[in-house]
Amino acid sequence: MTMPTHPLETLDTPAAIIDVARMQANIARMQQRMDTLGVALRPHVKTSKCTPVAQAQLAAGARGVTVSTLKEAEQFFEAGIGDILYAVGMAEHRLPAALALRRRGCDLKIVTDNSAAARAIAAFGREHGERLEVWIEIDTDGHRSGIKPDEAALLDVGAALHAGGMQLGGVMTHAGSSYDLDTPEALAAMAEQERAGCVRAAERLRAAGLPCPVVSVGSTPTALSAAQLPGVTEVRAGVYVFFDLVMHNIGVCRTDELALSVLTTVIGHQAEKGWVIVDAGWMAMSRDQGTRKQKRDFGYGQACTLDGALLPGYTLIGANQEHGILAAAAPAGEDVVARFPIGTRLRILPNHACATGAQFPQYHALAPDGGLRAWDRAHGW
Amino acid sequence: MTMPTHPLETLDTPAAIIDVARMQANIARMQQRMDTLGVALRPHVKTSKCTPVAQAQLAAGARGVTVSTLKEAEQFFEAGIGDILYAVGMAEHRLPAALALRRRGCDLKIVTDNSAAARAIAAFGREHGERLEVWIEIDTDGHRSGIKPDEAALLDVGAALHAGGMQLGGVMTHAGSSYDLDTPEALAAMAEQERAGCVRAAERLRAAGLPCPVVSVGSTPTALSAAQLPGVTEVRAGVYVFFDLVMHNIGVCRTDELALSVLTTVIGHQAEKGWVIVDAGWMAMSRDQGTRKQKRDFGYGQACTLDGALLPGYTLIGANQEHGILAAAAPAGEDVVARFPIGTRLRILPNHACATGAQFPQYHALAPDGGLRAWDRAHGW
């Protein structure tokens, strides 16, 4: 074998590569935008589940993190991050684990959107002598969870928590339907809808004599599209740290801002079909085909050279567990065997960075000077 | 909280549950079929990546295993399984790892489908004084990798290996296009196409004076549909060990044979939409929506009660990372809050067992007597 000439030739494949310069640019871009809008940034670390990434976000000015599981909360608390919002509706059976974290000194906030859970949380808190901090989840776009800003239930839940002896910390919302949009006007309108709904909920609670200091909104698309955020105290966003092809189709990033790619090796061809077989299948990319219903379908991902330059038209048109099928969108009779010989290394940009990252126990962080460091990430619950 | 009454109430959620009785029945069914057809069974352990599962398959009569990565090969060799076929076209940079396994006593077989790789394998083997065992991958259905049975290249590859001093161990094929079929007649025809093509390739090699002792075919659908397998020495199949909704739609299993499910908890509702929010999102189910293009679309999975009884019509119609949206196919105004109160535990049958299993660091194996054991599985490369 020839001597490696590129740091990425030293790795086995498939491998998850973070372009650290691009990641830092993404971190700076979002932080500066939030600073300009006058709100705190609480990044969602479910995208990376990686301590060095979160530390870079905090070093740039982020205040606290958002997590999607208590396992992430434990990971980041152990890394020294104490201000943590667990942003999935609290299940009663997880209360002991949440209490344990708080008793170890973690400033853990939990969320709820219904009276049954709110009462269970308050009862548990009283039983254990713990004034749990709870935020109410607000539904501002019909996408998923939450109480609508004008629902009567909002005040019931607020009262159940506050009168129940818990610390009603604020309201939070996530306009996940922003992922279905792709024009600046629609995104700006959704960002305003998200803001206005969450602020409305806060105002109703306060008018009823209930505390509501925090107003937390966010998704990457709305965070990058909001014109102004009066009444909002913090924004949450996750995937911006790496971006991905779904975000590119939505229109909030260029392809040269995508910081996560999958390194892969060519292992075969079906020349008459213009197919290049690579060792990045769906186990590496994930099964996420989020661009399929967007303006441009990138299959299982967009191919680039080892140096990260786009190979226009070449996407993974199919994937099995450990095989990816790379082909040109409009095969023009190119000799793929000559262009991509056996052993060629390529990089594949993912549809969805949160999904692709989850397939790997670690990232390989590639610094501008060519240095490579292995950064572990968490798996499971 | 009430005392748990069901073993599955002791686990955090989401959790990957193996119904051991169903798994054993699936193992026995496939083994008996292969015994009847007079061929060996070499299960593909990429589905479970779980040592107790593979040990159950071997205990039932399987001979050797198939793996999709060298990490699996190392896992199973360390568990005492020596007869291993690494069934993904061999990449040159992985040859040192393959050699290391063989030198530790692993009877590792590798595959190739092109002359460039065959020559590299032979050169490496000679350089290291190792007569590597290599099988040639045959393309019998245009699905993915392999040399077609009548291609001239077949004899070139065979000669490169044999004359190059390597052990040409046989031919292997995988009719992955069987996943697109759903009638017994079409499946039986594909099984015969798979068999005939692979046997044809073997016969051509032998006629050219090249050794070809093994003829290895398989996919779960063709393994369960082949009427007879003259000329075949072994069959490989993976997903049968758990089955899944894709296999159900293909027609090779009943829903009560599905041995893998995801345990989940109800954490919220959107009552006016008939939505039940559960904590099994795509991170738990995977993003595989393999049933979407089949006769029956199960969304992200079919819901069952805690005891595993189907909830007809209720599927996960949507999923975000840690939230699943359960709803009835034809919402009939059911009061989902009353039927599935906060805290209700359900089980979700997956589209694709290989993809869903990969999302978990471990399974929880549920025995008929209610006993639960944690079985670790491997993640990554």
Side-chain angles (χ1 to χ4, degrees):
Chain A
M1 279 169 25
T2 57
M3 291 292 297
T5 54
H6 190 293
L8 293 183
E9 285 176 8
T10 62
L11 299 175
D12 193 10
T13 58
I17 310 300
I18 293 174
D19 179 317
V20 175
R22 290 184 180 188
M23 182 192 83
Q24 293 286 23
N26 297 341
I27 287 172
R29 174 184 166 192
M30 182 66 83
Q31 188 63 53
Q32 283 158 18
R33 184 159 225 285
M34 295 303 105
D35 293 347
T36 300
L37 288 168
V39 296
L41 173 62
R42 181 189 290 280
H44 208 322
V45 294
K46 69 179 180 174
T47 299
S48 75
K49 296 198 183 184
C50 179
T51 299
V53 175
Q55 288 168 334
Q57 292 169 301
L58 292 161
R63 282 185 249 161
V65 296
T66 315
V67 298
S68 68
T69 64
L70 287 179
K71 181 166 180 173
E72 286 156 60
E74 284 164 15
Q75 170 190 355
F76 290 99
F77 178 58
E78 277 161 29
I81 299 167
D83 179 356
I84 301 180
L85 171 70
Y86 169 41
V88 175
M90 195 64 190
E92 186 174 0
H93 76 269
R94 285 192 262 277
L95 283 166
L99 176 65
L101 272 163
R102 286 179 60 90
R103 285 181 167 164
R104 289 166 58 199
C106 179
D107 180 18
L108 180 73
K109 277 77 73 168
I110 59 178
V111 307
T112 190
D113 74 349
N114 66 87
S115 293
R119 287 191 298 265
I121 290 166
F124 180 90
R126 289 193 303 276
E127 179 184 347
H128 292 86
E130 182 79 14
R131 187 162 177 253
L132 295 161
E133 180 170 349
V134 191
W135 299 4
I136 301 176
E137 185 166 8
I138 306 301
D139 178 10
T140 51
D141 70 342
H143 170 70
R144 189 172 73 202
S145 300
I147 304 174
K148 292 177 184 48
D150 284 300
E151 269 188 72
L154 174 64
L155 302 184
D156 298 336
V157 172
L161 293 168
H162 183 71
M166 299 304 103
Q167 180 184 350
L168 177 47
V171 289
M172 55 82 75
T173 191
H174 165 65
S177 65
S178 64
Y179 278 54
D180 302 329
L181 308 174
D182 64 9
T183 69
E185 298 74 27
L187 288 165
M190 179 56 66
E192 172 56 17
Q193 178 178 320
E194 181 183 54
R195 182 207 71 80
C198 207
V199 168
R200 167 92 183 118
E203 289 170 341
R204 286 189 63 219
L205 288 165
R206 295 166 186 158
L210 294 164
C212 189
V214 169
V215 179
S216 176
V217 306
S219 68
T220 284
T222 49
L224 292 171
S225 305
Q228 48 202 359
L229 291 170
V232 170
T233 61
E234 66 166 47
V235 167
R236 307 177 327 281
V239 75
Y240 76 92
V241 71
F242 297 145
F243 282 123
D244 55 31
L245 295 170
V246 164
M247 286 298 127
H248 174 64
N249 270 333
I250 288 170
V252 294
C253 69
R254 301 183 310 267
T255 53
D256 67 12
E257 292 177 288
L258 271 61
L260 180 66
S261 59
V262 173
L263 181 70
T264 186
T265 303
V266 173
I267 60 169
H269 304 88
Q270 293 294 355
E272 79 291 357
K273 288 190 279 210
W275 288 5
V276 182
I277 311 298
V278 297
D279 67 0
W282 59 252
M283 186 63 86
M285 302 308 303
S286 90
R287 272 292 205 195
D288 197 295
Q289 288 192 276
T291 60
R292 189 170 42 78
K293 51 186 181 353
Q294 293 184 305
K295 64 176 68 153
R296 183 156 172 207
D297 179 2
F298 287 93
Y300 282 92
Q302 168 64 49
C304 299
T305 64
L306 188 59
D307 291 311
L310 277 187
L311 286 163
Y314 277 95
T315 63
L316 291 186
I317 63 168
N320 290 164
Q321 190 161 334
E322 292 291 337
H323 297 76
I325 300 175
L326 179 71
E334 175 148 37
D335 182 349
V336 292
V337 179
R339 185 166 183 191
F340 305 106
I342 296 287
T344 301
R345 290 183 168 227
L346 300 169
R347 289 161 73 177
I348 312 293
L349 299 175
N351 281 311
H352 189 175
C354 313
T356 296
Q359 302 302 100
F360 293 85
Q362 63 184 195
Y363 299 104
H364 296 274
L366 181 64
D369 64 2
L372 263 179
R373 283 164 296 171
W375 289 353
D376 288 344
R377 62 159 283 152
H379 182 237
W381 291 264
Chain B
M1 279 165 33
T2 57
M3 290 295 295
T5 53
H6 191 292
L8 293 184
E9 284 176 7
T10 63
L11 299 175
D12 193 8
T13 58
I17 310 300
I18 294 174
D19 179 318
V20 175
R22 291 184 180 188
M23 181 192 83
Q24 293 287 23
N26 297 340
I27 287 172
R29 175 185 168 193
M30 182 65 84
Q31 188 62 54
Q32 283 158 20
R33 183 159 224 284
M34 296 303 106
D35 293 346
T36 300
L37 288 169
V39 294
L41 172 62
R42 181 188 291 281
H44 208 320
V45 294
K46 70 178 178 174
T47 297
S48 74
K49 296 200 186 184
C50 180
T51 299
V53 174
Q55 287 168 335
Q57 292 169 302
L58 291 161
R63 283 185 249 162
V65 297
T66 315
V67 299
S68 68
T69 64
L70 287 179
K71 181 166 180 173
E72 286 157 60
E74 283 164 17
Q75 169 190 356
F76 290 99
F77 178 59
E78 276 161 28
I81 300 167
D83 177 356
I84 301 178
L85 170 68
Y86 169 42
V88 175
M90 195 65 192
E92 186 174 359
H93 76 268
R94 285 193 261 276
L95 284 166
L99 176 66
L101 273 163
R102 286 179 59 90
R103 284 182 167 164
R104 288 166 58 200
C106 179
D107 179 18
L108 180 73
K109 278 75 74 167
I110 59 177
V111 308
T112 190
D113 74 350
N114 67 88
S115 293
R119 287 190 298 264
I121 291 166
F124 180 90
R126 288 192 305 274
E127 180 183 346
H128 292 86
E130 181 79 13
R131 186 162 177 254
L132 294 162
E133 179 170 350
V134 190
W135 299 4
I136 301 176
E137 185 166 11
I138 307 301
D139 178 11
T140 50
D141 70 342
H143 170 70
R144 189 171 74 201
S145 301
I147 305 175
K148 291 177 182 51
D150 284 300
E151 270 188 71
L154 174 64
L155 302 184
D156 299 334
V157 172
L161 293 168
H162 183 70
M166 298 304 103
Q167 179 184 351
L168 176 48
V171 288
M172 55 82 75
T173 191
H174 165 67
S177 66
S178 63
Y179 277 56
D180 303 327
L181 307 175
D182 64 8
T183 68
E185 297 76 25
L187 288 164
M190 179 57 64
E192 172 55 19
Q193 178 179 320
E194 180 183 53
R195 182 208 70 80
C198 207
V199 168
R200 167 91 181 120
E203 290 170 342
R204 286 188 63 220
L205 287 164
R206 293 165 188 158
L210 295 163
C212 190
V214 169
V215 179
S216 175
V217 307
S219 69
T220 284
T222 50
L224 293 170
S225 306
Q228 49 202 358
L229 291 170
V232 170
T233 61
E234 67 165 48
V235 167
R236 306 176 330 279
V239 76
Y240 76 92
V241 69
F242 297 145
F243 283 124
D244 56 31
L245 295 168
V246 164
M247 287 297 128
H248 174 64
N249 270 333
I250 288 171
V252 294
C253 69
R254 300 182 312 266
T255 53
D256 67 14
E257 291 177 289
L258 271 61
L260 181 67
S261 59
V262 173
L263 181 70
T264 187
T265 304
V266 173
I267 62 170
H269 304 86
Q270 293 293 358
E272 79 290 358
K273 288 191 277 205
W275 287 5
V276 184
I277 311 297
V278 298
D279 66 0
W282 59 252
M283 185 63 87
M285 301 309 304
S286 89
R287 272 295 205 192
D288 197 294
Q289 289 192 276
T291 59
R292 188 172 41 79
K293 50 184 182 355
Q294 293 184 305
K295 65 175 67 150
R296 183 160 172 202
D297 179 3
F298 288 92
Y300 281 92
Q302 168 65 48
C304 300
T305 65
L306 188 58
D307 291 311
L310 277 187
L311 285 163
Y314 277 94
T315 61
L316 292 187
I317 64 167
N320 291 165
Q321 188 160 335
E322 292 292 338
H323 297 76
I325 300 176
L326 178 71
E334 174 148 39
D335 182 350
V336 291
V337 180
R339 185 168 185 191
F340 304 106
I342 295 287
T344 301
R345 288 182 170 230
L346 300 169
R347 290 161 73 178
I348 313 293
L349 299 175
N351 281 312
H352 189 175
C354 311
T356 296
Q359 302 303 100
F360 293 85
Q362 61 185 195
Y363 299 104
H364 295 273
L366 181 64
D369 65 0
L372 264 179
R373 282 164 297 171
W375 289 353
D376 288 344
R377 61 159 282 152
H379 182 236
W381 292 264

